[in-house]
Amino acid sequence: MSHGGCRIQCSNWLPACKNHQASTCSESKNCLMGTLLVPRCRSLSQQSILACCLHPTILRKLPSCGRRCRPGDSSSVCDQVSNHGMEASMMDSVMTASREFFHLSLEEKKKCSNLIDGKYFQVEGYGNDQVRTQDQRLDWSDRLHLRVEPEGGRNLVHWPTHPKSFRDDLHEYALKCKRIKGDVLRAMAKILELDEDCLVNQFNSDAPTFARFNHFPPCPRPDLVLGIKPHADFPALTVLLMDKDVAGLQYLRDGTWYNVPAACDHTLLINIGLTMEVTISEPQIMTNGIFTGPMHRVVTNADKERISVAMFYGVDPEQEIGPIAHLLSEEQPAQYRKMKAKDLLVLHHEHYAGGRGPRIADALKI
Ligand SMILES: O=C(O)CCC(=O)C(=O)O
Ligand SMILES: [Fe+2]
């Protein structure tokens, strides 16, 4: 690692109160994520970042990790990472450019629309989810979704020209995030006792990276409407840049939603996605996987807008994904069937939008 190792933030994630409000909740001082997932120390080795989030059976192999494990802990990678090597000024610039874009007139934003001729949905561009069914729940958010990698596959027609810095900021930011993604994947491979580049090599030159800019305007009824409904990210890994001032993200754990505080100290949040779960979670049959894509959602705020920027790292759509061979043995056979990434994505959308449950990885279980 060129920048001396990422650090995990000791986070104090409080249970959300019943009306979904993220910022006002002080019902409980129970620091679940802080005590269970993150050791109480400020600087951890790179290896420990992920160890904090791994299943206890793997964790026991790691002398450097001070995590206290409880039987039945679920395992998920959803931690705030600092000392990640990205300049705070760059993170601020991306946030400012995003905010400026969302504050443009609707007419201006529609120049990047995700609807062709105002009707036909496409993944890239400005807008909301595709509406597939009459009773589909829509999110209280505006989005700009852009393919960032491979660089040759960028559709600049969707890339805003206002603010002027937007394109350059995103380009630079993507380069930094890619390096962080590599660091995280190498650390994960090490923990799994795989070849260091084994996971990085799952991403060939056609592996897509999408940037999703989320804007959550103030919402008059936060008790009724969610900014993003419960989901687990589909791609393999997400690097999330969050608003410094307004919280809203929540994670589900043991049936309770927990608030993630606003990222006032320039932390990034790393999520494991479902693709990675299918790829690497094989040996722990008893525990349903070493890594799982954590379920999360975003709540709305009555008074304040919120911005976040997610970089989603997927694998080549033509790639067949399934358990990595090195992780399988006679005692630990595959738990998931193999499928091309593009077919898995279709299934995921059907499940998620159709309300049949957001965890497509479960549908793939053998
Ligand atoms: O806004 C956030 O903090 C999370 C966004 C998110 O979960 C997503 O874009 O998939
Ligand atoms: Fe997400």
Side-chain angles (χ1 to χ4, degrees), residues 212 231 233 271 296 312:
R212 184 157 87 177
H231 67 286
D233 294 342
N271 255 350
H296 53 286
F312 295 117

Side-chain angles (χ1 to χ4, degrees), residues 95 98-99 102 214-215 241-243 305-309:
M95 273 308 207
S98 313
R99 204 175 298 276
F102 284 117
N214 298 304
H215 177 231
L241 174 59
M242 289 186 296
D243 204 299
E305 69 168 8
R306 179 174 180 273
I307 305 265
S308 68
V309 181

Side-chain angles (χ1 to χ4, degrees), residues 116-337:
I116 303 166
D117 297 334
K119 278 192 269 193
Y120 305 107
F121 179 86
Q122 61 193 349
V123 172
E124 270 188 276
Y126 165 77
N128 208 310
D129 281 345
Q130 181 174 23
V131 179
R132 289 164 181 260
T133 58
Q134 289 280 336
D135 52 358
Q136 185 177 327
R137 268 201 289 163
L138 292 178
D139 298 334
W140 188 272
S141 69
D142 254 3
R143 282 175 203 149
L144 174 66
H145 205 196
L146 300 175
R147 177 189 284 268
V148 177
E149 280 151 1
E151 221 178 296
R154 290 179 185 177
N155 295 311
L156 290 181
V157 62
H158 299 298
W159 287 47
T161 47
H162 299 291
K164 288 217 167 350
S165 65
F166 190 100
R167 292 181 175 194
D168 285 347
D169 284 346
L170 180 54
H171 176 74
E172 292 301 321
Y173 181 69
L175 291 177
K176 293 274 171 157
C177 280
K178 192 173 181 176
R179 209 206 53 221
I180 291 170
K181 166 206 150 204
D183 289 345
V184 169
L185 290 173
R186 274 185 282 274
M188 288 168 70
K190 208 169 159 190
I191 288 163
L192 291 171
E193 296 176 352
L194 295 169
D195 182 57
E196 196 185 29
D197 287 326
C198 180
L199 293 178
V200 175
N201 291 344
Q202 299 277 324
F203 297 78
N204 64 19
S205 57
D206 287 330
T209 304
F210 278 88
R212 184 157 87 177
F213 300 80
N214 298 304
H215 177 231
F216 307 97
C219 170
R221 292 299 303 267
D223 53 329
L224 295 181
V225 188
L226 288 169
I228 301 186
K229 52 186 167 292
H231 67 286
D233 294 342
F234 174 81
L237 204 76
T238 308
V239 178
L240 183 71
L241 174 59
M242 289 186 296
D243 204 299
K244 281 195 299 183
D245 303 310
V246 185
L249 178 61
Q250 298 184 337
Y251 280 88
L252 184 65
R253 196 179 160 85
D254 302 333
T256 303
W257 289 100
Y258 287 85
N259 291 323
V260 179
C264 52
D265 42 8
H266 291 96
T267 49
L268 289 166
L269 193 137
I270 310 288
N271 255 350
I272 278 286
L274 295 178
T275 308
M276 185 67 84
E277 175 179 346
V278 173
T279 308
I280 62 176
S281 67
E282 288 324 300
Q284 302 303 317
I285 297 164
M286 299 297 290
T287 62
N288 290 326
I290 304 168
F291 296 92
T292 59
M295 195 69 77
H296 53 286
R297 69 182 186 183
V298 177
V299 296
T300 45
N301 189 299
D303 310 309
K304 295 174 188 160
E305 69 168 8
R306 179 174 180 273
I307 305 265
S308 68
V309 181
M311 293 291 273
F312 295 117
Y313 292 95
V315 297
D316 178 353
E318 294 298 334
Q319 189 171 317
E320 187 147 81
I321 55 172
I324 288 176
H326 281 88
L327 294 174
L328 300 179
S329 67
E330 219 166 272
E331 302 81 55
Q332 296 170 328
Q335 283 191 82
Y336 296 99
R337 56 199 159 93

Side-chain angles (χ1 to χ4, degrees), residues 26 37 43 48 59 72 79 83 87 130 137-138 182 188 209 262 273 294:
S26 57
L37 285 185
S43 58
S48 302
L59 216 62
D79 276 297
N83 196 27
E87 298 84 6
Q130 181 174 23
R137 268 201 289 163
L138 292 178
M188 288 168 70
T209 304

